[in-house]
Amino acid sequence: MVGFKATDVPPTATVKFLGAGTAACIADLITFPLDTAKVRLQIQGESQGPVRATAGAQYRGVLGTILTMVRTEGPRSLYNGLVAGLQRQMSFASVRIGLYDSVKQFYTKGSEHASIGSRLLAGSTTGALAVAVAQPTDVVKVRFQAQARVGGGRRYQSTIEAYKTIAREEGFGGLWKGTSPNVARNAIVNCAELVTYDLIKDALLTANLMTDDLPCHFTSAFGAGFCTTVIASPIDVVKTRYMNSALGQYSSASHCALTMLQKEGPRAFYKGFMPSFLRLGSWNVVMFVTYEQLKRALMAACTSREAPF
């Protein structure tokens, strides 16, 4: 057995909720530069927007984007929007991942054998609910990641200032910009991510190919990351472009997608695919492995506290 030993008592909803948010924050801390590189690649080619990369900076590939940012803006630019990112994960992941099992049990009426339909429904529900809670943090995170620091031209100097500026200049609705594509994206991402992880893990355990410990969690998480990237990349690109767009640039998320298709072709929907995969793959591995271990550690701590001396 690698890592913490599974306890006889299943983790409570509170343990899952707190564990998911904490694990997601740890994963974000490790993989954030890849996410920033993904955003820069996705918005490259936009003619306008409230925040965009400098006109002189052309990004090519994951490593090239990271090196260009470090050279022109400094290493700290890779972590633009980290505070908003951690705020997002603590609220967002806690809901979409931490409540997944509870919602799945609700749809299956407590049955131990959940169908794929029930899993997909649970993933869609928690993914959409999480967006309703955390959308403003996502908007601020994307704006921070998109802005370049060349020549001291940063628009947002702090996370709090970004919230205030967006609300003042674009109205309260500006903080909820891109909610529709984000709901669609996260319903799909949650289904692809959680359901794929669930299915791969169940298949490995049922076939006795692995035991319920770190190697099994790692393999399941890597497979979930790849499937999620393939399915969700087009929606993710549209979401990023729309959130970063100037007021009135696009009338809707569908208008944004149509404009991309007309001006840049279908390949535009897979801009930043490699950093998306590197980020989602590594993020899933770190998050799920940490999440599984945190659940066991927290339950072990709770059990030891309740045990008589």
Side-chain angles (χ1 to χ4, degrees):
M1 172 69 71
V2 184
F4 286 98
K5 183 180 179 182
T7 59
D8 294 330
V9 182
T12 63
T14 303
V15 165
K16 292 176 182 178
F17 188 85
L18 293 175
T22 305
C25 285
I26 293 170
D28 244 30
L29 282 169
I30 294 172
T31 64
F32 206 79
L34 291 171
D35 192 42
T36 303
K38 177 202 74 173
V39 169
R40 290 293 180 91
L41 284 167
Q42 285 177 339
I43 66 169
Q44 187 165 250
E46 273 192 307
S47 58
Q48 57 179 316
V51 177
R52 61 185 184 275
T54 176
Q58 290 298 313
Y59 304 119
R60 294 184 181 277
V62 186
L63 184 59
T65 301
I66 291 174
L67 291 176
T68 299
M69 290 181 65
V70 170
R71 186 177 68 253
T72 59
E73 303 171 51
R76 291 181 62 184
S77 65
L78 297 172
Y79 282 89
N80 278 350
L82 178 63
V83 174
L86 295 180
Q87 291 171 351
R88 174 182 180 268
Q89 291 299 352
M90 206 62 217
S91 54
F92 184 73
S94 296
V95 173
R96 78 177 185 91
I97 298 171
L99 297 182
Y100 170 73
D101 285 335
S102 298
V103 174
K104 183 173 68 174
Q105 288 174 3
F106 171 78
Y107 283 130
T108 58
K109 295 180 172 60
S111 173
E112 292 184 4
H113 303 288
S115 65
I116 293 179
S118 298
R119 298 180 202 223
L120 290 172
L121 196 55
S124 299
T125 302
T126 58
L129 183 60
V131 173
V133 173
Q135 181 68 8
T137 62
D138 205 9
V139 172
V140 171
K141 179 183 81 77
V142 168
R143 295 285 182 89
F144 258 104
Q145 289 176 312
Q147 71 179 355
R149 286 213 261 192
V150 179
R154 297 183 69 196
R155 184 177 187 189
Y156 307 120
Q157 302 300 321
S158 70
T159 305
I160 297 299
E161 183 195 346
Y163 285 115
K164 290 179 178 178
T165 302
I166 294 170
R168 183 176 64 250
E169 296 182 357
E170 303 175 41
F172 186 72
L175 290 169
W176 299 90
K177 194 171 191 176
T179 299
S180 296
N182 216 13
V183 166
R185 175 193 179 269
N186 283 292
I188 293 170
V189 164
N190 228 33
C191 287
E193 197 172 76
L194 293 177
V195 175
T196 304
Y197 178 82
D198 224 2
L199 291 172
I200 294 174
K201 182 181 172 184
D202 282 355
L204 291 172
L205 296 176
T206 303
N208 292 317
L209 296 173
M210 291 183 176
T211 55
D212 191 5
D213 55 12
L214 279 172
C216 176
H217 304 157
F218 180 94
T219 304
S220 304
F222 188 83
F226 179 76
C227 292
T228 304
T229 309
V230 172
I231 294 170
S233 271
I235 299 174
D236 193 34
V237 175
V238 173
K239 181 209 80 167
T240 300
R241 289 283 186 95
Y242 189 57
M243 281 183 178
N244 190 55
S245 63
L247 189 62
Q249 182 180 354
Y250 302 118
S251 59
S252 64
S254 57
H255 177 225
C256 176
L258 187 61
T259 302
M260 284 175 57
L261 182 63
Q262 290 173 337
K263 292 186 175 181
E264 302 172 59
R267 292 181 63 182
F269 292 97
Y270 279 92
K271 273 191 172 182
F273 178 84
M274 189 51 67
S276 288
F277 171 60
L278 290 176
R279 198 261 176 174
L280 264 178
S282 57
W283 192 91
N284 271 271
V285 168
V286 175
M287 195 285 298
F288 277 115
V289 168
T290 306
Y291 179 45
E292 296 279 9
Q293 294 302 304
L294 276 175
K295 284 192 296 184
R296 295 179 179 188
L298 289 170
M299 287 307 298
C302 291
T303 304
S304 64
R305 283 181 60 187
E306 294 170 1
F309 292 100

